[in-house]
Amino acid sequence: MARRDLASLLPELSLRRRVTVLVLLASVLVLGTVATLFIPLELIPRGFSEPFLGVYAPWRDAPPEEVLEKVLRPLEEELATVGGLSGMNSSANPGYARLFLRFKQGTDMDVAYREVRDRIERAKVRLPEDVPRVFIRKHDDSGIPVAVYGLTVGPEVTNSYDLIHDEVVVALQRLDGVAAVEVQGQLEKEILIELDRERTEAAGLNIYQLAQDLGGDNFALASGHVEAAGRKLLLRSVARYEDVEELRRRPVAPGVRLADIATVRYDEPEKLYRVRAMSLPAVAVQVYKEGDANTLQVAREVEAEVERLRRNPRLADVGIETLFNQRQIILESLDTLIDAGKVGGLFAVVVLFFFLRRVRMTLIITLSIPLSLLVALTVMYFAGETLNIISLLGLMISVGLLVDNSVVVAENVFRLHREGRSRREACIEGAREIALAITMATLTTVIVFLPASLVEGQGQFFLMRLAMPVCISLLASLLVALVLIPLALYATLPRNGGSGRTSAFRRLHQRLNDRLRAVYDATMGRLNDLYGGLLGRALARRLDLVLLLLVVLAVTGWAFGERVEVVEVQEDEQRGFYMEVELPQNTTLAEAEQFFLTVEKVVEAKRDEYQLAGWFVFHRATFGEIQGWFAPERKGGPTPREITAELLETLPEKPGVRYYTGQESEEEREEKGVFRLTLYSDDLPELERTAAALGDRLLSVPGVLGLRKNADRPTEELALVVERDRAQRLGVSPEVVAAVVGYALRGQSLPRYSRDGKEVPVLVRFQEEDRETLQQLEDFAVPTMTGGVVPLRAVTDVRFLPAPREISRRDRRTARELAFDLVEGEEEATRERLQAAVTGFALPEGVTSGELRRQGMGEDAKGLLFAVGLSIVFIYLLMAFLFESFVLPLSIVLTIPLAFLGVAWGHIAAGLDLDFLGMVGLVLLIGVVVNNGIVLIDYVNRLRHAGQPRAEALLLAAHRRFRPIMMTALTTMFGMVPMLLSSATSIGMSYTSFAIS
């Protein structure tokens, strides 16, 4: 009784202090308007993906085996002790080591960063001295570029680097909020000194000594201070070249200048790759914002500047295409949800008017939606939250739920008013009777989010981000239902049963009301009667009903397991395709360019058929990648896997060319049509031979579409082995041998040259015709300690050794992963054939295979299922506390499995898999399902306390509560219809499975 007296306090207060309530309402409207106008907008909230850090350690020109032993292993051993680490992927590559450290969700990344930095400092004492620095790179979804533009450069442009830098990059860097502008696909121009070998040797010089001399005479150093004329002056020693011509005139030997033995030119370095977009040479410009800058504002200013650049006459031969614009994606994603919310709200109004048949009452209840959303936005704004695709999704969910409390209160007030109660009594008593039930129903939905803090992974983050808008708006709707709805009803209900309308309006309203009542009686009225009859029979044959439900649940579970899979994303709603190509090792860049031009024409010819918005080709001499992305308005058409299969049949065939159907990522995300197997071994050559043999065998299995590219295949490495006895006898240092070869072939960087306010790189090396063959390499002159020179062949032997291009490791074990794309529609049968083939393959000694990884329930999905179980437990405990009974809550909790029937058959009928958002919807569904049960059981309890027999109380409560329950259920379901019919966004986020759930 005390609880009910407490519950009646709010409606009594609203009627007694009406002005106060209206002032508070006005305050909510003002604050909500401010929050709506000024709340920051962003695409993805910080921390959306699993947190991780990247560690990068360059060691110039070191082979992967040396990188593994001397750099990677020491770093792995130290970093393995970092707190919160959930996994480590690493790789040893030519010239650098790379590590990806994955952390558990909720890890304080600032602390993690400091720990990683501390462990790296410990490891540095074990690293080679010429490892200059170890870089730590933070990765965050909120740090993605604001915009990416593709610049297509016409053949008329002769100095594209300076033009793009001066006219595009500098202009974008000056904008407020822009932190950095990165250019990819274009190399910085440099001063290149290419020595003529014959002239150099004729002048008595060698490249090693010349590089040392040139590197020491281009500097500006502070040299202390001197006193002159009674003043203390700073002194600086300067040895700078005024221009390139002065560098050409630089003496290098008696009577010999640099121009006599070398060609000195200022030009772009030789490109070892080609980049093309939309069948034109391309340069990618990425714009990044400052950490605290407003994404939309920065993106808007960048767009305006790019539009100005398009009108720049100096850029007439440079095309600027927008490849990525975060502002457009944010607005598109938000508009999708906002439009769905508008349509869902309209559906809710129609449903309410159909059931209530009162214009003013429909409007009053409908107002609970914007009021509750304004309260949620106000709390989010002052809590420092942003409006993003997740928080807006939470608000969208709330649209269909917010009318529940108001509908139940209004229905109860109307019933009491029709029974003869006064306006005041009906409003207070109607709200008082139902207050406990709607409070309990609201809390059960709110408590669903409590287990999210106890699970790990992306599911935790998603539910926690949904929690604020959903919970705040639901609690606000409870307040609206108990305070504003009674006040509004008090103002609109007639005092003596009359309507207070003019006769003409009364007749029009009565006519519309009669027609709607006739439609209602023919539909929902009959459905209510049918429901009552079925309920009566079910109560009489309860055991038969239980057995029937068990059979239905068993059949549904079997059908769901056979037809539906748990996936990360819906495959058919991916936004593009991606392939990689590997060419023979003796392929030249020119030959590769001609090959990829042919590939490009094939993709371009399919533009309309595939509904492509654009395509991109990148290649080097021996490998490349092809990707295309779909137009935002794409409807239907082949799936990405169907496109890949067709391209494999259409793309040109060439001996030694191998196509890969994707690129393995560090995230190891499970996908529906992919079969994965990991091999482990410390014997790297044996591991590669086993992977190649097993890969070829599995590729021949029927139903396999292709192999995903995991790492470049091993190649042969030319090794110059220094013969120490000969080198010592001739007075040659092994370090000098390595330096001579490196200077001659790769070049040696010299101090930068200042030109027009820019620091220009300087490189010295032999000209190309002097460094093409092995014979020329063996004739290189190596200086001795006595001042003479000897040919390189005198102190070295040449050997060919097999060498990997990359050594991959997973959690400190050398690993080789094989990933196969499967033909669509044959996944399960193909997977079984592959598993049988792997089982029948005899692995060599020392090679082991990891667990066969197949599509299925990932860690995030398991975490969400755990959250489902905990939610049910918490809901039961809450209802037991409020009902003061252990039995009554069971009648509500047992309805939760029945909700799975709709989820399962909805996905089966739609032909969709249950994706990550669908799992989130399943968790939220628990709170929605128990709401209806609580409202019904609460009324049954009150009828039982009034003396009604059990069966009669159940039937009467079901009949009277049918209308409010059906009303709230339909408003929620219709609110999801627009989301169900919407297509995936341009970033591939689909709401279909979520809406079905």
Side-chain angles (χ1 to χ4, degrees):
M1 189 67 182
R3 289 177 183 170
R4 296 192 182 275
D5 291 340
L6 180 62
S8 66
L9 178 63
L10 287 177
E12 288 180 359
L13 179 64
S14 69
L15 294 178
R16 189 170 61 248
R17 305 296 297 271
R18 295 190 288 272
V19 175
T20 302
V21 172
L22 293 176
V23 170
L24 292 176
L25 174 61
S27 302
V28 169
L29 292 176
V30 172
L31 290 175
T33 303
V34 172
T36 304
L37 292 176
F38 295 103
I39 188 170
L41 301 179
E42 62 181 5
L43 180 62
I44 300 173
R46 188 176 299 272
F48 174 68
S49 63
E50 185 179 37
F52 66 100
L53 292 174
V55 176
Y56 176 79
W59 189 21
R60 188 168 181 175
D61 300 324
E65 295 98 328
E66 291 293 306
V67 174
L68 172 63
E69 293 300 325
K70 298 182 179 180
V71 178
L72 193 58
R73 288 187 189 276
L75 288 173
E76 286 180 341
E77 291 172 5
E78 293 293 342
L79 293 173
T81 62
V82 174
L85 194 67
S86 66
M88 180 191 304
N89 285 7
S90 55
S91 64
N93 304 270
Y96 66 92
R98 184 180 59 178
L99 300 94
F100 287 90
L101 310 177
R102 301 190 307 277
F103 292 86
K104 299 176 182 178
Q105 199 76 41
T107 301
D108 188 331
M109 294 307 294
D110 291 332
V111 174
Y113 180 87
R114 290 194 292 269
E115 287 192 24
V116 168
R117 185 178 57 191
D118 176 67
R119 302 304 191 278
I120 289 176
E121 290 299 322
R122 295 184 194 176
K124 279 184 178 179
V125 298
R126 301 170 55 189
L127 302 182
E129 293 183 359
D130 52 344
V131 174
R133 187 178 173 187
V134 180
F135 299 90
I136 307 174
R137 294 176 177 172
K138 293 183 178 181
H139 297 264
D140 194 290
D141 289 314
S142 61
I144 61 178
V146 170
V148 179
Y149 295 96
L151 275 56
T152 55
V153 183
E156 301 84 2
V157 179
T158 57
N159 189 357
S160 61
Y161 180 86
D162 285 345
L163 179 64
I164 292 174
H165 179 271
D166 296 341
E167 298 295 329
V168 178
V169 175
V170 173
L172 294 175
Q173 286 175 337
R174 290 171 178 166
L175 299 177
D176 290 338
V178 172
V181 178
E182 294 183 1
V183 179
Q184 296 182 350
Q186 194 174 41
L187 300 178
E188 182 181 5
K189 296 182 72 173
E190 65 182 8
I191 295 176
L192 184 60
I193 304 172
E194 291 190 311
L195 299 174
D196 184 295
R197 185 176 153 201
E198 291 185 1
R199 294 181 182 180
T200 302
E201 293 178 353
L205 301 171
N206 62 76
I207 192 171
Y208 178 79
Q209 294 172 333
L210 188 58
Q212 297 293 321
D213 292 341
L214 292 174
D217 69 345
N218 183 26
F219 60 85
L221 296 176
S223 303
H225 63 272
V226 296
E227 292 186 3
R231 292 185 302 169
K232 182 180 289 186
L233 302 175
L234 294 177
L235 180 65
R236 189 169 58 143
S237 301
V238 180
R240 291 283 193 185
Y241 296 110
E242 295 296 330
D243 51 35
V244 176
E245 188 58 35
E246 184 179 350
L247 179 61
R248 292 192 180 100
R249 295 194 304 267
R250 197 262 196 201
V252 293
V256 180
R257 299 183 182 275
L258 184 60
D260 297 332
I261 63 171
T263 301
V264 182
R265 56 191 175 90
Y266 175 60
D267 202 354
E268 288 188 25
E270 179 186 6
K271 280 188 179 180
L272 301 179
Y273 61 87
R274 296 290 184 268
V275 180
R276 293 175 66 83
M278 278 67 80
S279 302
L280 287 172
V283 175
V285 176
Q286 298 179 340
V287 184
Y288 294 86
K289 75 178 184 69
E290 296 174 352
D292 297 330
N294 184 284
T295 302
L296 288 184
Q297 180 64 29
V298 174
R300 188 181 298 112
E301 292 186 9
V302 170
E303 284 181 15
E305 184 64 26
V306 169
E307 287 302 318
R308 190 191 66 79
L309 293 174
R310 288 192 174 108
R311 298 190 297 269
N312 187 342
R314 297 195 61 189
L315 298 174
D317 297 319
V318 176
I320 304 179
E321 297 289 337
T322 303
L323 303 182
F324 173 82
N325 188 309
Q326 193 174 158
R327 176 175 176 267
Q328 293 177 0
I329 293 177
I330 290 174
L331 295 179
E332 175 203 345
S333 302
L334 299 184
D335 286 345
T336 299
L337 291 175
I338 290 173
D339 291 342
K342 291 177 181 177
V343 177
L346 180 61
F347 280 153
V349 172
V350 172
V351 170
L352 288 174
F353 185 71
F354 176 71
F355 279 89
L356 296 174
R357 299 184 295 278
R358 293 175 176 86
V359 175
R360 283 185 293 178
M361 190 52 50
T362 300
L363 293 177
I364 289 173
I365 295 178
T366 303
L367 283 176
S368 63
I369 298 176
L371 284 176
S372 303
L373 295 181
L374 282 176
V375 172
L377 284 171
T378 302
V379 175
M380 291 171 59
Y381 175 72
F382 287 104
E385 294 289 322
T386 63
L387 195 61
N388 49 70
I389 57 176
I390 300 180
S391 59
L392 192 59
L393 181 62
L395 296 175
M396 173 63 193
I397 297 167
S398 303
V399 169
L401 303 177
L402 294 179
V403 299
D404 289 12
N405 296 329
S406 299
V407 165
V408 175
V409 170
E411 277 288 304
N412 220 38
V413 170
F414 274 130
R415 179 178 60 82
L416 294 177
H417 191 259
R418 286 195 300 267
E419 293 175 357
R421 304 287 184 93
S422 67
R423 286 189 306 165
R424 185 181 182 85
E425 290 177 348
C427 291
I428 295 177
E429 186 65 21
R432 183 184 67 80
E433 285 184 357
I434 206 67
L436 180 62
I438 63 174
T439 300
M440 191 187 310
T442 302
L443 291 179
T444 54
T445 304
V446 171
I447 206 172
V448 165
F449 294 98
L450 181 60
S453 60
L454 305 178
V455 300
E456 295 182 354
Q458 195 178 38
Q460 177 199 42
F461 175 85
F462 213 102
L463 286 174
M464 293 301 289
R465 288 290 180 170
L466 282 175
M468 177 171 286
V470 174
C471 294
I472 297 300
S473 56
L474 287 178
L475 292 174
S477 74
L478 177 63
L479 189 64
V480 169
L482 294 177
V483 176
L484 295 180
I485 294 299
L487 181 59
L489 292 176
Y490 177 79
T492 57
L493 286 175
R495 295 186 178 183
N496 53 5
S499 64
R501 303 182 183 92
T502 62
S503 58
F505 187 83
R506 184 187 307 166
R507 288 194 298 271
L508 178 62
H509 180 269
Q510 188 62 43
R511 191 178 308 159
L512 178 61
N513 190 34
D514 292 341
R515 292 183 179 179
L516 289 177
R517 182 182 294 277
V519 175
Y520 178 86
D521 291 339
T523 54
M524 292 299 166
R526 291 186 179 181
L527 185 61
N528 193 357
D529 294 337
L530 177 63
Y531 164 60
L534 290 175
L535 181 60
R537 293 189 181 93
L539 292 175
R541 307 185 64 176
R542 295 187 294 276
L543 181 60
D544 295 342
L545 177 63
V546 171
L547 294 176
L548 176 62
L549 288 177
L550 290 176
V551 171
V552 171
L553 284 171
V555 172
T556 301
W558 172 82
F560 184 82
E562 291 292 320
R563 302 283 186 87
V564 180
E565 294 191 40
V566 179
V567 297
E568 289 279 349
V569 295
Q570 299 293 336
E571 182 182 6
D572 292 347
E573 294 178 334
Q574 294 177 7
R575 304 309 300 169
F577 66 89
Y578 178 87
M579 296 179 64
E580 288 206 3
V581 186
E582 193 172 80
L583 284 74
Q585 291 300 303
N586 58 355
T587 306
T588 65
L589 183 62
E591 292 172 340
E593 187 172 12
Q594 292 302 314
F595 174 80
F596 279 100
L597 286 175
T598 306
V599 169
E600 185 180 71
K601 291 178 181 178
V602 172
V603 176
E604 184 178 6
K606 298 286 186 179
R607 176 179 186 174
D608 295 334
E609 180 183 347
Y610 296 160
Q611 303 177 53
L612 297 178
W615 56 95
F616 172 85
V617 174
F618 169 86
H619 72 87
R620 296 184 184 272
T622 58
F623 74 94
E625 59 186 48
I626 315 157
Q627 58 181 301
W629 54 95
F630 301 138
E633 64 277 5
R634 183 178 193 258
K635 300 294 182 183
T639 65
R641 261 200 288 170
E642 290 172 343
I643 291 175
T644 302
E646 184 176 336
L647 287 176
L648 287 174
E649 298 293 331
T650 310
L651 291 176
E653 295 183 2
K654 184 179 179 180
V657 172
R658 190 171 188 179
Y659 292 99
Y660 293 88
T661 53
Q663 172 71 48
E664 280 301 288
S665 69
E666 299 293 339
E667 296 179 2
E668 307 175 37
R669 187 171 69 182
E670 295 292 346
E671 300 173 60
K672 178 180 180 181
V674 180
F675 177 88
R676 287 186 170 88
L677 173 68
T678 305
L679 302 176
Y680 298 95
S681 176
D682 291 330
D683 187 344
L684 188 60
E686 186 64 40
L687 180 64
E688 290 294 341
R689 286 193 294 269
T690 305
L694 184 57
D696 291 338
R697 178 170 179 176
L698 298 184
L699 270 176
S700 62
V701 172
V704 174
L705 179 63
L707 175 66
R708 289 195 171 189
K709 191 173 187 296
N710 178 269
D712 291 326
R713 62 189 177 188
T715 185
E716 283 193 323
E717 181 182 80
L718 180 65
L720 292 175
V721 181
V722 178
E723 293 293 335
R724 294 188 179 275
D725 292 339
R726 280 186 281 166
Q728 186 176 11
R729 191 165 57 250
L730 294 173
V732 175
S733 168
E735 293 182 358
V736 174
V737 173
V740 167
V741 175
Y743 292 178
L745 298 180
R746 183 189 65 251
Q748 170 65 13
S749 296
L750 303 180
R752 287 181 172 249
Y753 161 72
S754 180
R755 181 179 186 271
D756 298 332
K758 301 176 184 176
E759 293 292 323
V760 180
V762 183
L763 186 73
V764 59
R765 68 183 180 191
F766 279 144
Q767 58 188 8
E768 186 175 359
E769 52 267 29
D770 291 333
R771 50 185 170 87
E772 291 181 325
T773 65
L774 179 60
Q775 178 67 35
Q776 293 172 325
L777 174 63
E778 292 179 325
D779 289 338
F780 284 168
V782 180
T784 66
M785 298 179 183
T786 59
V789 294
V790 296
L792 187 63
R793 66 163 61 90
V795 293
T796 60
D797 286 337
V798 178
R799 300 177 189 172
F800 289 92
L801 303 175
R805 297 185 183 177
E806 179 181 359
I807 302 174
S808 298
R809 290 169 62 81
R810 182 168 298 148
D811 294 327
R812 303 171 64 184
R813 292 193 298 172
T814 303
R816 183 69 158 85
E817 182 168 282
L818 300 173
F820 300 87
D821 280 306
L822 311 180
V823 174
E824 193 167 2
E826 304 178 18
E827 292 90 350
E828 287 303 318
T830 305
R831 199 171 274 120
E832 291 177 3
R833 290 192 289 266
L834 286 169
Q835 289 173 341
V838 171
T839 304
F841 186 86
L843 294 175
E845 185 177 355
V847 180
T848 60
S849 63
E851 180 182 355
L852 291 177
R853 297 168 57 197
R854 58 159 292 169
Q855 170 63 26
M857 197 175 300
E859 292 302 318
D860 286 335
K862 292 177 181 177
L864 286 175
L865 282 183
F866 179 67
V868 168
L870 284 180
S871 298
I872 295 173
V873 172
F874 287 145
I875 288 172
Y876 172 79
L877 295 176
L878 175 64
M879 289 189 297
F881 170 74
L882 294 175
F883 277 134
E884 295 186 353
S885 169
F886 288 108
V887 177
L888 284 178
L890 290 176
S891 61
I892 299 174
V893 170
L894 291 177
T895 64
I896 294 176
L898 300 182
F900 176 71
L901 298 176
V903 175
W905 289 107
H907 282 80
I908 293 172
L912 292 174
D913 294 313
L914 182 65
D915 60 24
F916 176 75
L917 278 181
M919 289 290 294
V920 173
L922 190 60
V923 175
L924 294 175
L925 182 63
I926 297 173
V928 178
V929 167
V930 298
N931 281 359
N932 299 330
I934 289 174
V935 172
L936 181 61
I937 295 299
D938 178 74
Y939 194 61
V940 171
N941 269 344
R942 286 197 279 121
L943 292 176
R944 290 281 288 153
H945 290 312
Q948 290 272 12
R950 183 175 62 177
E952 293 181 9
L954 286 169
L955 292 173
L956 181 59
H959 181 78
R960 289 184 174 178
R961 288 303 186 206
F962 176 86
R963 194 167 82 142
I965 289 176
M966 185 61 69
M967 201 185 317
T968 56
L970 288 178
T971 54
T972 303
M973 287 189 290
F974 279 124
M976 292 292 105
V977 169
M979 196 178 293
L980 177 67
L981 301 178
S982 65
S983 58
T985 64
S986 57
I987 60 172
M989 179 167 284
S990 168
Y991 305 109
T992 309
S993 178
F994 177 85
I996 290 176
S997 294

